Amino acid sequence: MSVLLQTSKCIFRKPFNNTFCKYVFLRKNSDVPKKFITFDEVVAQRRAEAMRSVVVQVNSDSSFNELYGYCSKYASIKDIHHYKNTGGEHFMVIEFASEDNLKDVLKSCSSHNKDHDVISVQSPFLWFRAAVGNKEKFADTGKKLAVKNGTEICNEDVLLEDILNCETVSDQIQLLYERTTLNDLSIRLRYIVARQLEMIFNSLYTNVKIQPFGSSVNGFGRMGCDLDLVLINSITEEMGAASRRLVFQEKRSARQLELAGALLELRVAGVARLTRILNARVPIVKYAHEYAGLHCDLCYNNSAAVHMSELLWQLGELCARSRALAVLVRRWAAATGLTQPHPGRWLTNFPLTLMVLFFLQRTGLLPSLNRLVSEAGKEDIRIAEENVNCTFLRDLNKLPADSYEQNDDDLQTLLFKFFEFYSQFDFQEKAISINEGKPIRKPNSLPLYIVNPLEQSLNVSRNVSYEECERLRLEVRNAAWHLESCLDGKKSDDWGILGLIEKKSSRGLKKLLRVGNSHRLVSMKDLFTDNDNEPSVEGIRSKMQKFVKTDKEVDTSVKEMKSEMSKEQKSGKIKFKNNQTASAVYRIRRDKII
Ligand code: GTP
Ligand code: MG
């Protein structure tokens, strides 16, 4: 399965269950498998998949047989995937064999007509009503769920323990990547959320598209990342042709996103806690999607952002090592506090990813963007809104093989070189430009300058303060030093990437909890009972006594743990279950879900 993505030089194994793997076997016009497929082909497949899928809320995963039996009466089913949202509610993603199948199923759906505040709307988000009267018997077809709990984020303690037990630092990086990268079901779900909006908007507009972008589609996303969406007003050449003399009278408005916000708030099932940030450089509407368990940001007419995701995705395809490396670097930056969950005077994941790609260009693993532009043909021309030129080579099969993956370094070596490279980088005088693939002179005195690849007069790290840039310089040096000190072969508690990805504040505590030589981690959960809403210091102390030595160690650890917990609460992880929102009340009033 991994072969097609490897050159003879590449030592990075692409995991079997990788999200994009199945697309690699696409064939086009001939029987010769292509080494690379285009981003547009991946997006087209995902959109088509969403157009024949629904998400059905059920009572539990054991509703599978009944749901399968009921839906098979209307259409042929390809697969059913199960997941739970943050509130612990169960859902099944059903992919039917064709879009027509889905239309038949939607025709068979009913509306909930007991509440006068509800006006029914077609959507791929459904729920499965309990049977009335005698329960229909469905024969066991032998079919099984394609996946159970498919969007579950891996347990952090288990992950850290497994990382600790890896043979090499490269294995650690690879393991972190495989366990945390966005999986197939999470991507399906994101395209279905986009499809839900598209269905609503298409009942009002002539030709709009809702397109996911950012880390949900650029190949650098981790499980649980936010969903960036853009509402694109796609006018085809045909629609605007001068030969069509009858033209619609249309309403001009610079407030399209306001209406989108109102529609989301009033018409889209699952949308909660919506906020509008309309005076930003890129105005957005933020909301939580309760059924999908996602944080979403919707913007308007920003197709350059989609092309940016396309560019990042392409570079990730050219050098698969870049994805594992970027995942690690993003985790490290979050652990050191260089990136934060909210925007401010610090780095964010996007410029950080550009820094990784730039470093890989310097090591001969990736071509410069200018190279991709020089190889582009007529079919690659893309001009986004406000005339942003997004033209670069799309079909990577046309790229000469000597323009990428020109070194054999394993992930450990690359990671060390990454930190070393930025330890020595002249941030004061130089800017990072993936267009050039080499440092260029800074056009102004902002502390950190990372050229926006598609609008080169802009700096994507213009918000980063002098202090934060200094901290970056310090942290890359610390990280390089830490990795170098691991080279002696002795495996301590923060061996390899553990010393980079564990939050500093919890590192002391986690060390204490690793028991003896077995390196077994004691789960945080083991320290609490299910009823411990507000665990007492004494409670934690008595449970920890068997793992730690002195009272002082216990006190320090308890303090660290409480501070971590309060930070998590403040960071606003979605807790749908505890929110007494109107939609929750509405759901409780509905008939029983099976
Ligand atoms: P995470 O959401 O943190 O996982 O990463 P992300 O890559 O999705 O970043 P984010 O949600 O912050 O932004 C979404 C996308 O918007 C990015 O992938 C970029 O394509 C684009 N983007 C983000 N920041 C900037 C910026 O400063 N300038 C430009 N032009 N585009 C940006
Ligand atoms: Mg994002």
Side-chain angles (χ1 to χ4, degrees), residues 121 123 125-126 196-197 200 263-272 287-292 583 586 590:
V121 62
S123 147
F125 284 87
L126 311 168
Q196 181 193 25
L197 292 197
I200 303 260
L263 278 173
L264 277 160
E265 202 162 38
L266 302 175
R267 297 293 291 147
V268 183
V271 168
Y287 62 95
H289 198 295
E290 291 192 324
Y291 303 143
S583 64
Y586 163 63
R590 288 190 327 202

Side-chain angles (χ1 to χ4, degrees), residues 549-562:
K549 295 172 203 131
T550 66
D551 274 2
K552 203 170 160 213
E553 282 174 331
V554 176
D555 285 341
T556 320
S557 307
V558 168
K559 231 181 184 172
E560 284 172 348
M561 183 153 47
K562 290 210 105 184

Side-chain angles (χ1 to χ4, degrees), residues 240-260:
S243 56
R244 295 184 171 199
R245 291 192 49 205
L246 294 175
V247 184
F248 293 112
Q249 297 282 4
E250 282 159 348
K251 182 92 184 167
R252 178 174 291 273
S253 169
R255 293 161 54 197
Q256 303 293 349
L257 206 55
E258 267 179 58
L259 176 60

Side-chain angles (χ1 to χ4, degrees), residues 269-503:
V271 168
R273 294 187 296 286
L274 182 136
T275 50
R276 298 162 176 84
I277 305 172
L278 300 177
N279 53 3
R281 193 178 68 85
V282 180
I284 54 168
V285 172
K286 281 180 105 61
Y287 62 95
H289 198 295
E290 291 192 324
Y291 303 143
L294 290 172
H295 285 292
C296 307
D297 287 352
L298 175 72
C299 61
Y300 173 65
N301 257 8
N302 185 10
S303 51
V306 179
H307 294 308
M308 186 82 85
S309 307
E310 181 176 23
L311 174 64
L312 263 52
W313 182 83
Q314 285 200 323
L315 294 174
E317 284 293 284
L318 280 178
C319 172
R321 280 172 279 178
S322 67
R323 290 188 177 142
L325 199 63
V327 164
L328 188 278
V329 169
R330 284 171 171 228
R331 277 285 294 234
W332 159 78
T336 52
L338 282 171
T339 55
Q340 302 280 343
H342 48 282
R345 293 156 70 83
W346 36 82
L347 267 176
T348 59
N349 280 333
F350 171 60
L352 202 55
T353 308
L354 293 182
M355 285 175 68
V356 173
L357 297 174
F358 179 72
F359 157 73
L360 293 172
Q361 290 175 327
R362 300 302 301 144
T363 54
L365 284 164
L366 287 174
S368 68
L369 174 54
N370 287 350
R371 178 74 195 261
L372 295 183
V373 173
S374 70
E375 301 277 347
K378 237 172 49 191
E379 64 287 1
D380 297 313
I381 295 173
R382 308 279 190 283
I383 308 293
E385 299 81 16
E386 292 172 25
N387 281 336
V388 177
N389 189 351
C390 304
T391 302
F392 49 85
L393 180 71
R394 262 56 190 197
D395 182 359
L396 296 174
N397 298 297
K398 293 181 182 163
L399 196 63
D402 65 0
S403 55
Y404 58 96
E405 296 250 81
Q406 292 301 298
N407 102 34
D408 285 344
D409 285 346
D410 60 15
L411 287 167
Q412 165 174 347
T413 313
L414 285 176
L415 183 64
F416 178 69
K417 284 187 178 173
F418 170 84
F419 290 125
E420 202 179 39
F421 175 77
Y422 284 110
S423 300
Q424 289 158 11
F425 191 82
D426 182 1
F427 287 100
Q428 206 163 352
E429 297 291 328
K430 300 288 184 198
I432 291 163
S433 160
I434 71 160
N435 303 70
E436 300 290 336
K438 56 182 187 225
I440 58 168
R441 220 181 152 70
K442 255 163 78 165
N444 60 33
S445 60
L446 281 171
L448 182 62
Y449 203 105
I450 302 176
V451 176
N452 179 334
L454 299 179
E455 283 177 89
Q456 291 168 54
S457 57
L458 301 178
N459 171 10
V460 299
S461 55
R462 67 200 163 281
N463 60 312
V464 176
S465 67
Y466 176 76
E467 291 75 17
E468 288 299 318
C469 187
E470 281 305 295
R471 238 157 57 71
L472 170 68
R473 295 167 69 162
L474 182 76
E475 292 294 354
V476 287
R477 263 181 265 142
N478 283 344
W481 178 84
H482 168 78
L483 283 178
E484 199 162 25
S485 69
C486 292
L487 293 179
D488 63 11
K490 282 196 206 117
K491 293 189 177 177
S492 61
D493 279 330
D494 59 358
W495 174 73
I497 68 166
L498 282 173
L500 303 177
I501 64 170
E502 278 186 278
K503 281 212 172 99

Side-chain angles (χ1 to χ4, degrees), residues 38-51:
T38 66
F39 180 76
D40 282 347
E41 285 171 317
V42 175
V43 171
Q45 292 229 15
R46 286 294 185 188
R47 281 176 60 83
E49 195 177 78
M51 281 181 177

